[in-house]
Amino acid sequence: MVTETTAKMDSLGSNQEKGRPNIIFIMSDDHAYQAISAYDDRLIQTPNIDRIANNGMLFSNACVTNSICAPSRATILTGKHSHLNGKTDNHFPFDTTMVTFPQLLKANGYQTAMFGKLHFGNNPKGFDQFKILPGQGAYYNPTFITKNEGTIEVEGYVTDLITDFTLDWLENERKEEDPFFLMYLHKAPHREWLPAERHLEEFSKKTFPEPATLFDDYSGRGSAAKEAEMNLLTHMNWSGDSKLYPEVMDQLGIPDASGWDKGAFQREVGRMSPAQRANWDKVYGPMNDSFVKSYHSMNEVDKMKWRYQRYMQDYLGTIAAVDENVGRVLDYLEENGLMENTIIVYTSDQGFYLGEHGWFDKRFVYDESFKTPLMISWHGKIKPGSKSDEMVQNLDFAQTFLEAANIEAPSDMQGESLMPLLIGQSDKWDRDAVYYHYYEYPSIHMVKRHYAIVTKEYKLIHFYYDVDEWELYDRKNDPKEMKNVYEDPAYASIKKTLHGQLKALRIKYGDSSQISQELLERYLKEVGNTQGSFVRSFKKVGNE
Ligand code: SGN
Ligand code: CA
């Protein structure tokens, strides 16, 4: 019997074989869609990233299955939800026995390379070449783990260096005769947000509009939002994040509440060469001086406003370098005739809070962290300037790329190929709900374990483990997600329908209370239940 795939593979003549597209997967770390001008130009202009949207399709409802770094990457590479690929949180290393789509691309004649942040606790499989950051990596003079040269220390700024490696591979290592798959993975704009020297001054002078919910008191939500430790005023590090010199904290009597605030500053700023440090001090010295002068007259509102501006200056400053460097890569592709048959993706491992609900960080299924930027261009296949509001997920990349490369996807992958949407056959796309599950708790930022179903109209969430709370949001009428309507009688029938749909989705994806329980026990055994900024212990309350 001839299977569909064999037929597909047999029908590929050598010319068609050559016609298989190259794929460049550009992903930044923690890049909020609010900070890409193709989505929203109030905070920053990103003309180069926007080129991908202008040449292709912009997705306004792209989302992740689990809003945290390494789990998102594992979902991307395996095409499976966290409970099946095993990478539920940042603590456990990736299970390298999992099949990933780059392995399949490589086995089918693709050249494969990865540069930048992976965060798996082990090296990637299925890559001809890689230079990756150990763990989170550093902004200044970072270390890289390489496939062929062991560990190397490189002088320079991380975003520029990852791009240098990428361009060097395209120019000097890539063979013209075979298609390639390239993962170009930025560390920026991950915490502690250190912009490149050339952007320090420019961004330190900017003032940014505040989000409407900066002073959210979480009154319309349950205990998960109230107990999370992501607030700009109360949980951000003064030195590590807001870049006060440690001695300024001492001088002003600001305590090191997290226990690693000053250490975080030293870890990053301490890496700079004397010349880099001198440029840094030129900008951050005066900023520290003026803060010392005004600190004692500032009330809590003033402090929150100051911290928001400092946060945006540094966070967006790191994005300026990402945008410039994406431009370098796009220019190279254009100048070398590679735009013709290359799929270019720009995305992030998840979204991020830029002061909405008073927060930074991610993890929640609430929109700013659940959604993620996504734009894809492919000359001649995707209509330039097109848009999609379909609920696509990071779960879908593996099957999309395998289909583009004419390779049959393993039957246990759980996504959907985006191909119908990309080529304008949206009638062949029928997903109406997605599934979400976050696990890393108790841990830094203290976002409780939860799972959810999300449709275009509603979001039904269950927080479990040390609580047993449900939340329901009306996404159309309450887009900022300020009011949990779970107990509102007006939503009784919607609630019932969503519960049924959630149950069906969990069965479809193979998730269950039993699996959650096993994963919880694994976590508590290995990580403990006293993580977070402050030591505490937990009593299990809710069955999920
Ligand atoms: C670090 C950050 C956290 C962040 C996690 C996970 N603190 O611990 O704020 O949530 O990484 O981020 S830091 O001060 O050490 O940077 S993730 O992108 O890797 O998931
Ligand atoms: Ca991340």
Side-chain angles (χ1 to χ4, degrees):
M1 198 184 87
V2 180
T3 65
E4 204 191 325
T5 322
T6 353
K8 265 191 204 163
M9 297 298 279
D10 286 349
S11 73
L12 286 170
S14 58
N15 283 343
Q16 277 166 298
E17 183 75 26
K18 270 189 193 145
R20 292 193 294 172
N22 306 309
I23 303 164
I24 302 193
F25 186 78
I26 312 174
M27 185 161 75
S28 297
D29 193 1
D30 295 356
H31 194 166
Y33 53 85
Q34 308 91 296
I36 294 180
S37 45
Y39 285 99
D40 185 341
D41 62 5
R42 285 174 297 178
L43 291 175
I44 190 170
Q45 294 297 326
T46 51
N48 290 299
I49 295 171
D50 294 2
R51 278 159 73 182
I52 303 170
N54 295 338
N55 291 334
M57 183 173 277
L58 181 75
F59 289 86
S60 56
N61 246 327
C63 60
V64 296
T65 62
N66 181 359
S67 181
I68 182 155
C69 187
S72 169
R73 291 153 202 265
T75 293
I76 290 169
L77 288 171
T78 62
K80 290 181 184 164
H81 275 278
S82 305
H83 62 278
L84 294 188
N85 70 44
K87 189 83 182 104
T88 49
D89 52 57
N90 278 341
H91 294 286
F92 293 93
F94 178 67
D95 172 359
T96 55
T97 64
M98 287 283 149
V99 173
T100 64
F101 76 82
Q103 290 171 295
L104 302 176
L105 291 177
K106 183 167 154 61
N108 283 273
Y110 268 72
Q111 307 166 74
T112 52
M114 177 190 285
F115 301 105
K117 181 175 173 186
L118 176 63
H119 200 191
F120 265 8
N122 41 48
N123 291 343
K125 277 190 161 172
F127 287 88
D128 298 318
Q129 179 61 282
F130 62 78
K131 290 184 179 159
I132 57 170
L133 296 161
Q136 299 287 6
Y139 276 102
Y140 277 82
N141 312 323
T143 299
F144 287 89
I145 299 165
T146 71
K147 178 146 183 173
N148 303 320
E149 305 155 61
T151 298
I152 55 170
E153 305 262 341
V154 197
E155 174 115 4
Y157 185 68
V158 71
T159 308
D160 302 336
L161 294 171
I162 292 168
T163 311
D164 293 346
F165 296 151
T166 298
L167 292 174
D168 183 59
W169 184 83
L170 282 168
E171 176 71 13
N172 299 315
E173 271 186 63
R174 178 181 63 90
K175 294 190 277 335
E176 287 204 358
E177 55 278 19
D178 294 325
F180 65 84
F181 172 67
L182 176 61
M183 295 192 95
Y184 167 46
L185 309 172
H186 284 296
K187 168 194 169 59
H190 191 275
R191 199 180 181 190
E192 275 81 11
W193 316 298
L194 271 69
E197 287 169 84
R198 60 186 180 279
H199 294 127
L200 293 175
E201 193 179 357
E202 178 192 343
F203 278 79
S204 76
K205 291 190 173 138
K206 289 184 192 265
T207 306
F208 300 95
E210 289 169 5
T213 58
L214 184 63
F215 294 94
D216 192 355
D217 63 2
Y218 316 114
S219 56
R221 261 95 353 108
S223 47
K226 293 184 179 90
E227 291 174 24
E229 297 181 354
M230 305 186 350
N231 188 274
L232 297 186
L233 182 61
T234 45
H235 304 111
M236 222 178 210
N237 284 329
W238 282 97
S239 185
D241 295 323
S242 297
K243 316 294 179 353
L244 291 187
Y245 293 127
E247 51 276 23
V248 166
M249 282 180 68
D250 294 343
Q251 186 188 339
L252 296 174
I254 301 175
D256 188 331
S258 70
W260 44 281
D261 186 334
K262 296 177 197 167
F265 181 91
Q266 297 299 1
R267 188 180 67 214
E268 289 283 354
V269 179
R271 299 183 63 86
M272 292 177 180
S273 68
Q276 291 165 339
R277 182 62 199 252
N279 275 333
W280 175 271
D281 288 336
K282 245 189 257 164
V283 175
Y284 288 85
M287 179 278 283
N288 271 265
D289 291 344
S290 76
F291 184 73
V292 169
K293 281 194 201 116
S294 50
Y295 180 66
H296 290 295
S297 61
M298 288 165 95
N299 62 26
E300 298 301 279
V301 170
D302 299 333
K303 284 180 195 162
M304 180 59 144
K305 286 171 172 279
W306 183 87
R307 300 205 79 167
Y308 170 74
Q309 295 302 334
R310 280 275 51 252
Y311 171 34
M312 284 301 93
Q313 288 162 356
D314 290 346
Y315 177 90
L316 297 168
T318 71
I319 289 172
V322 172
D323 190 66
E324 286 171 2
N325 278 288
V326 167
R328 286 173 69 201
V329 171
L330 296 180
D331 289 349
Y332 180 90
L333 299 176
E334 273 171 18
E335 285 155 17
N336 290 276
L338 284 167
M339 277 296 186
E340 285 310 303
N341 196 21
T342 301
I343 299 175
I344 306 172
V345 176
Y346 188 89
T347 191
S348 171
D349 59 345
Q350 15 58 213
F352 213 69
Y353 295 93
L354 303 185
E356 299 88 358
H357 305 294
W359 286 336
F360 64 109
D361 214 67
K362 52 249 178 183
R363 297 159 194 267
F364 276 111
V365 72
Y366 304 138
D367 264 20
E368 289 81 0
S369 48
F370 163 68
K371 290 194 349 184
T372 195
L374 175 63
M375 55 197 82
I376 309 181
S377 69
W378 187 5
H379 187 88
K381 299 269 185 179
I382 303 177
K383 195 163 153 249
S386 50
K387 290 196 161 74
S388 171
D389 70 347
E390 292 303 329
M391 300 203 59
V392 302
Q393 274 192 303
N394 57 349
L395 185 68
D396 302 325
F397 288 125
Q399 280 147 281
T400 305
F401 298 147
L402 290 171
E403 183 175 349
N406 252 303
I407 300 165
E408 187 172 26
S411 58
D412 58 354
M413 283 189 173
Q414 299 184 303
E416 302 280 339
S417 167
L418 303 180
M419 205 57 76
L421 296 176
L422 299 179
I423 62 174
Q425 298 178 351
S426 43
D427 51 316
K428 296 201 179 127
W429 178 266
D430 62 0
R431 180 187 281 156
D432 57 6
V434 298
Y435 183 59
Y436 182 91
H437 201 149
Y438 171 80
Y439 301 85
E440 195 182 285
Y441 178 88
S443 185
I444 187 167
H445 300 302
M446 301 304 284
V447 174
K448 294 185 190 299
R449 288 170 184 251
H450 59 293
Y451 62 94
I453 178 174
V454 186
T455 67
K456 282 185 186 167
E457 287 82 22
Y458 301 104
K459 201 176 273 186
L460 175 69
I461 316 168
H462 186 206
F463 291 93
Y464 67 95
Y465 173 40
D466 58 343
V467 288
D468 183 4
E469 293 180 18
W470 289 88
E471 294 185 6
L472 173 63
Y473 292 92
D474 181 332
R475 302 185 77 198
K476 296 271 184 259
N477 291 314
D478 176 25
K480 293 196 165 56
E481 298 169 309
M482 298 296 280
K483 193 162 169 36
N484 169 20
V485 293
Y486 190 77
E487 301 298 349
D488 184 338
Y491 289 87
S493 94
I494 284 154
K495 184 163 96 180
K496 192 162 174 246
T497 308
L498 285 166
H499 270 292
Q501 280 181 288
L502 175 58
K503 207 167 163 195
L505 263 193
R506 278 162 66 83
I507 292 169
K508 171 178 166 180
Y509 290 125
D511 200 5
S512 66
S513 304
Q514 197 195 327
I515 295 178
S516 299
Q517 183 60 29
E518 285 164 14
L519 289 168
L520 175 66
E521 279 162 21
R522 175 180 81 153
Y523 185 90
L524 294 180
K525 199 163 148 224
E526 191 125 340
V527 185
N529 76 341
T530 55
Q531 293 289 305
S533 305
F534 308 98
V535 174
R536 32 164 116 61
S537 68
F538 296 88
K539 214 167 126 230
K540 185 168 160 63
V541 175
N543 273 325
E544 72 98 328

